[in-house]
Amino acid sequence: MHSSDSNTTEKKGVFSRTWVRVAAAVILFVVFVLAIAAIVFRPYGRIYSAGNQFDLVVLGASESMWGADSEVLTRDTGMNTCILASERCDYAGKYEMLKAFLAKDVPDLVILDASNTSLVRDNDTLKEVYLTKVNGLFAKIGTTFRRFSFWEDEYDTAFAEVLNSGVKSWGTVFDGTYEEIFRRHGYEPQYYSTLTEDPKDIAAIRDIWETDLDFDDAAPEMIREIIRLCKEYGVDLMIITFPVSAQSNWTFSGWDKFHGVMTGLAEETDVPYYDFNLLENRSDYYPDATCFRDFEHLNADGAAVFSAMVAELVNCRKAGTPYPYRFYDSYEEAKEHSYYAQFQ
Amino acid sequence: MNLTTFRFFAFAILFIIVYFVVPKKVQWIVLLAASMAFYALAGVKNSFFILITSASTYAAARWIDHLTVSCNSFLKENKNTLPREERKAYKARSVNQRKAILIVTLCINFGILCVFKYANFIIQQVNHILRAAGSGEIGFLYLLVPLGISFYTFTSMGYLLDVYWEKAPAQTNYLKMLLFVSFFPQITQGPISDYRQLSGQLYAEHPFDYKNFSWGVQRFLWGLVKKLVIASISGKYSQALFASYPEYSGISTFIAILFYALQIYADFSGYMDMMCGLCQILGIELAENFERPYFSKSISEYWRRWHITLGAWFKNYIYYPVGFSRFATSIGKKGQKALGDKFAKDMPATIALIVVWFTTGLWHGANWGYIIWGLVNGMFVIATLWLEPVYARMRQFFHIRETSGGWRAFQVLRTFVLISFIKILPEVGGLRAGLNLWAQVVRGASIIPHTFAELLPFVDDYLNFAVILIFTVILFIFSLIERRKPVREAFNKWPMILRVFILALFFVIAILFGARADGLNGAFLYAQF
């Protein structure tokens, strides 16, 4: 009896000691990983420049990555242009990118791509203000695992290079890729494929995303920060909303609210703002069928057409002449246009 | 499932927890379930073929074993009652039956392997002939090769041969057999395990052991660093140059070739470290596949230290049977009188080596590049065999001491450069491209790089370059130290907090600097074989 008890105690002791050591090691490991990840987090810190080589910078997310053509802009404006854009970038990320860029190179003009998705996006890139939130910390650590790199001599094609293809974003581990999410719901993926004109598919897309434009209140704050930064460096700034597909405009609600926020900001800060989704007869310039690569992004042809229009806008602004294109005042008005009607 | 994804990490963590939580008697069932799940995730349809292989191997082994046992007991029982001739005839009948079962099973399983891996290569060769004859062509087959088919076919056929030769007992439980064939840490890239070494461990009970856990985790993370940092970045460099090598200098091409050698070693041994680490956590010791191969002094030695289990498979199941076959030994004997004892001794070995190296090439890939690559390796091994007396005389003539450090360093360096050059033959888009790359090292010698960027045109990011340089130096130092004493034993004497910090640092570096292996989507190179 005595011997058996002693064995049990010894076994329990060994058992608990072993597991305590394992738990301690695992906890320490996780803490160290998180700490190191937080310390080395510099998503937009690695921006190179030979110094003062660019006159025009297009600052944005994937909309400008795909939708701005630096060659067209350089050719038509005579300003050496680079696209400073990163996929899934929110306004805090754009701020960080611009800050790092301005430390090396001060251009004459910055065009801020005010894509609507940046206003509603979860914070992929964060400023300290978000770190008070637990989810912000997780997002920050998650972002650490996706490194962004801009190559010195390839500014014009600079894009977010997620170097580690093996380690994909944390979200896809649990939810799967966009394509997988679509398939789970019984639809063929539409997000990266050719746009559909079938109202049933469009409705399906809307159901799957299950979200309408729901604004992140911190985003306008970051736009103000970007405006302040440009003023500090004496850089001229224009805000432009790049066109998304007409289908996208129709699929999601809340566009007028978005427009209201942006025009309010523009008036408040006296920065010119143009929303190219509201261009009159937009389908004459960049129709969904031929100028878009997917739901939200222009393709190369669309980018060339659109960049030429932006270049014209820049030239008009420099020359002080009126811009020849007209815009609707609201999405409500735009939706009355026949092009939108076909989706209703 | 890609092993460098968080999906796999989640899978592995969950599996380890379940493995140690369930009653120890059913641990092997957890292993089997995890292996089947891992395999099914790569494609449920393909599981069909691994089931065919495991079932046919199981049935054949049981049948062979049954015939062997009945034959032996019959002979024993009738030793004194039956005449010798009758006993001999009975034994011969039994041996023939066993041989027939063996041959049919080998044909089924190697047949499946051949259809998936070699059918298109054979069709291609037939089409060459048909084109020359002016007739129509045969269409290619569009088949998706089942995951790890080369590895599991060799593993199971090795087991069957061992049963046939009465070296191993036949497994009586089909599910246990299935586990041995499909054990997921070895399914994609080996090792090609010996049944006698692995099976007992798979079915045994394994209590949780802290030392195994910590050592296993260390090895897993070191493998991850090797794969994601060293292999991926060096792969990016070499592929960048290989894509447009005619533009670059000979020295840059030479360096890119060395980077490729580094990539393939770090890639394959990284995988092995990850899997051996995972198995060590479970208390299972996988067979080692590497023993510092780039420190070999000759190509023969290199192949004893690189992909050791594949070499052992070829040695046990091809080299010995062919080398000791009547055909090979008779050729040796025929030439003995005219050409001496050395001929009689080395000729059977040479015949066996030619077969082994031809098959090794074919095993790696169904194209002429791999076949030539195998034969070039074989040529060096055979040359070493035949020319050893000449080398000995040369060393004597030049007063070279075999044990001197300088001579050994020269041998190691020479072997490393040779191996690096042979490696790229099939790997850069076919035999012609490989040979052109060799030529570029000489042709491009006239291009003198004047800057660092010209010397290493593939380096696009100095930080990445610094990281790969640091880790390559660490790898080199580890290998040097490992020769005298195990590095990990010394490491494990450090305080736990420091060890965990270093591992966490390695992990973050692997995640941050791990580069995409272009065209492979982060997959391991050896998985293609």
Side-chain angles (χ1 to χ4, degrees):
Chain A
M1 181 74 183
H2 177 78
S3 159
S4 161
D5 277 355
S6 129
N7 277 345
T8 316
T9 316
E10 196 182 320
K11 271 183 190 167
K12 270 189 180 172
V14 169
F15 180 80
S16 59
R17 269 207 306 278
T18 303
W19 285 103
V20 166
R21 283 169 78 189
V22 171
V26 170
I27 291 166
L28 259 179
F29 181 79
V30 172
V31 167
F32 279 141
V33 165
L34 298 185
I36 296 166
I39 290 164
V40 299
F41 174 70
R42 293 187 312 150
Y44 301 111
R46 294 170 35 69
I47 289 179
Y48 305 106
S49 172
N52 299 324
Q53 45 179 333
F54 294 106
D55 310 311
L56 170 60
V57 171
V58 179
L59 175 68
S62 56
E63 285 79 358
S64 35
M65 251 170 68
W66 297 107
D69 185 328
S70 64
E71 279 181 22
V72 172
L73 284 164
T74 302
R75 184 194 66 203
D76 291 1
T77 60
M79 300 168 87
N80 197 14
T81 305
C82 76
I83 314 299
L84 192 60
S86 176
E87 208 163 15
R88 294 189 64 75
C89 186
D90 66 6
Y91 284 97
K94 288 172 191 170
Y95 173 83
E96 292 291 340
M97 278 201 294
L98 185 62
K99 196 169 137 190
F101 186 88
L102 290 176
K104 298 271 178 84
D105 192 348
V106 182
D108 299 328
L109 174 65
V110 169
I111 292 175
L112 172 63
D113 149 25
S115 52
N116 68 303
T117 47
S118 307
L119 278 187
V120 295
R121 179 165 293 149
D122 290 340
N123 302 301
D124 280 346
T125 51
L126 301 151
K127 209 166 173 266
E128 289 79 351
V129 63
Y130 297 114
L131 292 180
T132 51
K133 298 174 188 171
V134 174
N135 64 347
L137 179 64
F138 279 124
K140 180 175 170 180
I141 289 159
T143 309
T144 305
F145 292 91
R146 292 184 292 141
R147 194 167 69 101
F148 296 84
S149 176
F150 294 89
W151 292 6
E152 187 168 1
D153 54 355
E154 291 186 21
Y155 258 118
D156 56 341
T157 55
F159 59 93
E161 190 193 16
V162 181
L163 281 177
N164 187 348
S165 67
V167 183
K168 290 178 183 153
S169 71
W170 294 69
T172 57
V173 172
F174 304 106
D175 300 334
T177 60
Y178 293 127
E179 287 83 350
E180 285 165 352
I181 295 170
F182 269 87
R183 289 207 173 93
R184 269 210 306 276
H185 284 77
Y187 301 106
E188 269 309 292
Q190 296 294 341
Y191 190 70
Y192 290 116
S193 60
T194 319
L195 284 159
T196 173
E197 295 218 341
D198 183 343
K200 231 172 77 184
D201 285 343
I202 295 169
I205 292 168
R206 186 192 162 87
D207 288 347
I208 289 160
W209 292 127
E210 288 169 353
T211 175
D212 281 331
L213 303 178
D214 183 14
F215 298 112
D216 180 348
D217 294 336
E221 268 317 302
M222 290 314 303
I223 297 177
R224 285 193 189 92
E225 288 288 302
I226 291 170
I227 294 168
R228 190 194 54 72
L229 190 67
C230 286
K231 280 186 181 155
E232 190 184 312
Y233 280 88
V235 179
D236 203 7
L237 177 72
M238 280 168 70
I239 306 177
I240 289 178
T241 294
F242 279 45
V244 294
S245 70
Q247 284 181 35
S248 179
N249 282 149
W250 179 84
T251 306
F252 299 109
S253 60
W255 281 95
D256 274 320
K257 188 179 168 190
F258 163 76
H259 190 62
V261 171
M262 292 311 299
T263 46
L265 260 173
E267 276 168 23
E268 173 198 321
T269 55
D270 201 23
V271 172
Y273 169 64
Y274 301 89
D275 184 343
F276 276 80
N277 286 309
L278 297 180
L279 189 77
E280 276 188 15
N281 303 321
R282 55 171 282 171
S283 56
D284 293 346
Y285 305 104
Y286 30 84
D288 282 10
T290 55
C291 284
F292 282 83
R293 68 189 297 273
D294 61 39
F295 212 55
E296 290 173 343
H297 304 101
L298 289 160
N299 62 20
D301 292 342
V305 171
F306 173 67
S307 298
M309 294 171 86
V310 172
E312 210 174 336
L313 177 63
V314 171
N315 290 338
C316 288
R317 186 169 151 76
K318 272 199 292 191
T321 52
Y323 190 48
Y325 301 97
R326 289 184 53 77
F327 294 87
Y328 295 116
D329 289 332
S330 68
Y331 277 86
E332 201 58 42
E333 189 187 345
K335 280 186 180 179
E336 285 166 13
H337 186 268
S338 59
Y339 183 75
Y340 289 96
Q342 67 176 294
F343 296 113
Q344 293 177 40
Chain B
M1 197 187 309
N2 191 332
L3 303 187
T4 53
T5 56
F6 280 120
R7 199 180 288 255
F8 175 74
F9 289 4
F11 172 82
I13 290 168
L14 185 72
F15 157 67
I16 291 166
I17 292 170
V18 173
Y19 185 78
F20 286 114
V21 166
V22 297
K24 290 181 184 57
K25 275 186 182 171
V26 295
Q27 277 179 327
W28 71 270
I29 296 174
V30 175
L31 277 186
L32 176 64
S35 299
M36 293 319 291
F38 182 87
Y39 204 84
L41 284 170
V44 178
K45 280 182 202 164
N46 287 337
S47 308
F48 176 66
F49 296 101
I50 202 168
L51 291 175
I52 289 183
T53 298
S54 57
S56 61
T57 309
Y58 169 77
R62 292 283 320 258
W63 199 354
I64 289 171
D65 188 55
H66 169 72
L67 289 170
T68 310
V69 171
S70 352
C71 175
N72 289 346
S73 60
F74 178 83
L75 293 176
K76 204 175 165 187
E77 280 165 18
N78 298 289
K79 197 177 175 186
N80 302 320
T81 53
L82 276 181
R84 192 165 177 267
E85 288 307 311
E86 236 173 276
R87 278 188 282 132
K88 219 173 160 184
Y90 182 85
K91 191 178 176 182
R93 266 201 312 277
S94 173
V95 168
N96 285 340
Q97 278 177 320
R98 278 180 264 164
K99 200 179 270 179
I101 297 164
L102 176 76
I103 290 169
V104 168
T105 317
L106 290 177
C107 286
I108 291 171
N109 288 289
F110 283 122
I112 295 173
L113 180 66
C114 283
V115 168
F116 278 105
K117 270 188 89 170
Y118 306 110
N120 283 337
F121 176 63
I122 294 165
I123 291 171
Q124 195 182 19
Q125 307 316 310
V126 171
N127 281 345
H128 282 312
I129 298 164
L130 291 177
R131 263 200 301 273
S135 50
E137 293 184 2
I138 307 168
F140 286 105
L141 302 176
Y142 295 95
L143 301 168
L144 195 64
V145 182
L147 179 72
I149 188 167
S150 302
F151 291 97
Y152 74 68
T153 305
F154 272 49
T155 301
S156 49
M157 292 306 99
Y159 156 75
L160 184 65
L161 284 161
D162 281 346
V163 173
Y164 175 76
W165 287 324
E166 297 176 53
K167 287 181 182 172
Q171 175 54 254
T172 53
N173 183 331
Y174 170 66
L175 292 179
K176 286 187 175 178
M177 177 68 214
L178 182 60
L179 170 59
F180 171 68
V181 176
S182 67
F183 184 46
F184 80 90
Q186 64 172 19
I187 193 82
T188 52
Q189 294 176 69
I192 299 168
S193 291
D194 183 325
Y195 181 78
R196 291 159 294 176
Q197 186 266 335
L198 183 66
S199 61
Q201 297 187 71
L202 292 181
Y203 317 137
E205 296 177 6
H206 295 283
F208 184 83
D209 181 85
Y210 179 75
K211 189 185 168 192
N212 279 342
F213 170 77
S214 64
W215 283 49
V217 170
Q218 285 162 24
R219 188 155 181 195
F220 185 91
L221 289 175
W222 176 234
L224 191 72
V225 168
K226 269 184 175 174
K227 164 64 192 165
L228 286 182
V229 179
I230 304 176
S232 299
I233 300 178
S234 53
K236 231 176 116 181
Y237 290 165
S238 55
Q239 296 309 323
L241 188 132
F242 292 167
S244 47
Y245 61 87
E247 298 165 21
Y248 299 111
S249 67
I251 183 75
S252 303
T253 311
F254 179 75
I255 294 170
I257 290 170
L258 300 188
F259 266 119
Y260 180 72
L262 180 65
Q263 179 202 0
I264 197 162
Y265 172 66
D267 188 286
F268 193 14
S269 70
Y271 166 84
M272 281 305 302
D273 285 334
M274 287 171 73
M275 290 304 106
C276 287
L278 181 65
C279 287
Q280 191 167 10
I281 295 172
L282 307 175
I284 295 167
E285 196 183 335
L286 270 189
E288 293 291 343
N289 249 349
F290 295 94
E291 196 199 330
R292 301 179 305 111
Y294 287 156
F295 286 87
S296 304
K297 296 195 288 291
S298 69
I299 291 193
S300 319
E301 186 189 345
Y302 167 82
W303 278 106
R304 287 194 296 274
R305 295 163 65 162
W306 173 281
H307 207 168
I308 295 167
T309 56
L310 180 71
W313 197 97
F314 278 115
K315 188 174 79 181
N316 292 331
Y317 305 116
I318 294 186
Y319 178 81
Y320 287 143
V322 174
F324 290 108
S325 67
R326 241 175 279 164
F327 169 74
T329 45
S330 68
I331 290 183
K333 275 177 193 164
K334 272 178 197 165
Q336 190 170 16
K337 258 190 185 172
L339 299 160
D341 289 345
K342 185 168 172 58
F343 181 87
K345 193 176 133 236
D346 290 348
M347 198 55 208
T350 304
I351 292 167
L353 283 171
I354 292 169
V355 177
V356 162
W357 285 105
F358 176 81
T359 344
T360 305
L362 207 58
W363 181 87
H364 278 83
N367 63 56
W368 288 109
Y370 278 110
I371 294 170
I372 301 293
W373 165 84
L375 291 174
V376 168
N377 273 297
M379 193 184 77
F380 277 103
V381 175
I382 292 166
T384 311
L385 185 74
W386 287 90
L387 299 176
E388 186 46 40
V390 180
Y391 294 151
R393 278 202 294 277
M394 277 169 71
R395 282 195 298 272
Q396 208 173 12
F397 180 78
F398 289 111
H399 302 290
I400 295 166
R401 263 190 313 118
E402 258 195 277
T403 49
S404 77
W407 174 245
R408 285 208 308 232
F410 165 75
Q411 283 179 304
V412 167
L413 202 66
R414 174 202 62 187
T415 308
F416 174 62
V417 172
L418 256 178
I419 281 292
S420 304
F421 271 71
I422 297 170
K423 264 185 199 306
I424 56 152
L425 261 187
E427 299 290 351
V428 287
L431 185 61
R432 193 185 298 261
L435 291 170
N436 279 337
L437 206 62
W438 283 9
Q440 181 62 22
V441 176
V442 181
R443 267 202 305 261
S446 56
I447 308 170
I448 309 293
H450 296 290
T451 61
F452 181 80
E454 282 174 18
L455 179 67
L456 302 176
F458 37 79
V459 173
D460 52 22
D461 185 321
Y462 294 131
L463 191 59
N464 273 358
F465 185 65
V467 169
I468 190 181
L469 221 55
I470 290 167
F471 276 99
T472 307
V473 169
I474 292 174
L475 179 65
F476 181 73
I477 292 171
F478 276 8
S479 301
L480 275 182
I481 300 171
E482 196 77 26
R483 204 161 55 114
R484 296 177 196 284
K485 60 175 180 184
V487 176
R488 289 201 300 161
E489 255 176 38
F491 179 71
N492 278 290
K493 284 180 185 154
W494 294 7
M496 185 177 88
I497 196 160
L498 186 60
R499 276 183 285 143
V500 174
F501 176 76
I502 290 171
L503 293 177
L505 189 65
F506 274 22
F507 180 69
V508 175
I509 287 173
I511 300 298
L512 280 177
F513 293 95
R516 158 200 306 257
D518 285 342
L520 290 163
N521 289 324
F524 287 86
L525 286 177
Y526 254 71
Q528 66 185 302
F529 303 133

